[in-house]
Amino acid sequence: MREYRKARRDHYKGDSYSLSDFSISYGEDVFKACKSIDQSLYRQRHNIQKRFTPIIASGKALFCTLTFTDEVLSKTTDKTRHAYIKRWCKANALYYVANLDFGKTTEREHYHALILPSSDRVECSTWKYGFSKFERVHGAKCSIKVSKYVAKLSNHAVKDTGKVPRLIWSRNWKNFLNGRD
């Protein structure tokens, strides 16, 4: 995949043979598979960004990191922790998107969420299952960065667990996009 992306970048810089060379070197089937994966990742980032942009543009968006204590991790299932995140997001946000992640060095499970808070303040104490951190996010560049980050998290979660994780979306996000609350 890395070689495909390099060939694609070279192609867009004017090297008309780079994608052809890749196809010849790795075969037509590998070329088609890489192209399909690349297009799928682009669509995923685009769809995530479409949902993130209005939330971030509101000027009130928060990027949250929610972790779990050792006790919670050992005594609950993945499904239960997923439900904890969903319940917390519903209770504290009008609109939200959350995603599973694993720590770089410790590989510890945690979640990231982009939320539009339902009130002016979200207290850290409302997350009772571990540590929480909140950062204000705003601006168009943030929308692109956050959408790429969440798409990257999805890919890492697949790689780390072997399962396709489901993003946690608020159900009423289309109302928000259309200006209805």
Side-chain angles (χ1 to χ4, degrees):
M1 193 67 197
R2 191 173 293 150
E3 289 86 3
Y4 171 81
R5 287 193 175 142
K6 182 183 179 318
R8 189 194 63 203
R9 271 192 305 273
D10 291 346
H11 175 76
Y12 287 119
K13 289 179 182 174
D15 181 358
S16 60
Y17 297 106
S18 53
L19 286 174
S20 301
D21 291 344
F22 179 88
S23 181
I24 292 166
S25 298
Y26 292 93
E28 191 66 27
D29 291 342
V30 172
F31 175 76
K32 285 180 181 178
C34 287
K35 184 177 179 182
S36 177
I37 291 168
D38 197 45
Q39 288 172 340
S40 175
L41 292 173
Y42 173 80
R43 280 192 305 273
Q44 180 187 33
R45 279 194 305 267
H46 177 74
N47 289 337
I48 292 168
Q49 186 180 346
K50 187 168 66 176
R51 292 185 184 195
F52 279 1
T53 299
I55 294 172
I56 292 172
S58 74
K60 298 177 183 176
L62 292 175
F63 187 75
C64 312
T65 302
L66 304 166
T67 67
F68 300 99
T69 63
D70 291 335
E71 183 180 4
V72 172
L73 285 171
S74 65
K75 292 185 177 182
T76 59
T77 65
D78 297 348
K79 215 173 194 176
T80 303
R81 292 187 296 274
H82 186 91
Y84 289 164
I85 296 291
K86 195 170 191 174
R87 192 177 312 135
W88 182 86
C89 286
K90 279 184 178 181
N92 291 286
L94 296 171
Y95 309 100
Y96 56 86
V97 182
N99 197 12
L100 174 66
D101 191 15
F102 296 91
K104 213 176 215 176
T105 54
T106 62
E107 296 186 14
R108 188 178 184 90
E109 179 184 322
H110 62 280
Y111 280 79
H112 292 287
L114 180 73
I115 68 169
L116 180 61
S118 50
S119 65
D120 289 339
R121 289 178 56 96
V122 176
E123 296 293 330
C124 290
S125 61
T126 59
W127 179 249
K128 58 186 178 193
Y129 303 105
F131 172 77
S132 61
K133 179 181 174 186
F134 304 107
E135 295 178 53
R136 193 88 39 219
V137 219
H138 49 81
K141 284 186 180 178
C142 281
S143 177
I144 294 166
K145 284 166 84 174
V146 172
S147 63
K148 282 183 178 179
Y149 183 65
V150 170
K152 182 186 93 174
L153 292 179
S154 295
N155 298 331
H156 281 288
V158 169
K159 185 174 65 178
D160 291 343
T161 64
K163 301 175 198 168
V164 177
R166 295 185 55 102
L167 291 174
I168 303 170
W169 302 99
S170 54
R171 292 186 175 261
N172 54 353
W173 73 274
K174 286 185 179 176
N175 292 341
F176 179 67
L177 291 177
N178 296 326
R180 300 186 308 257
D181 283 332

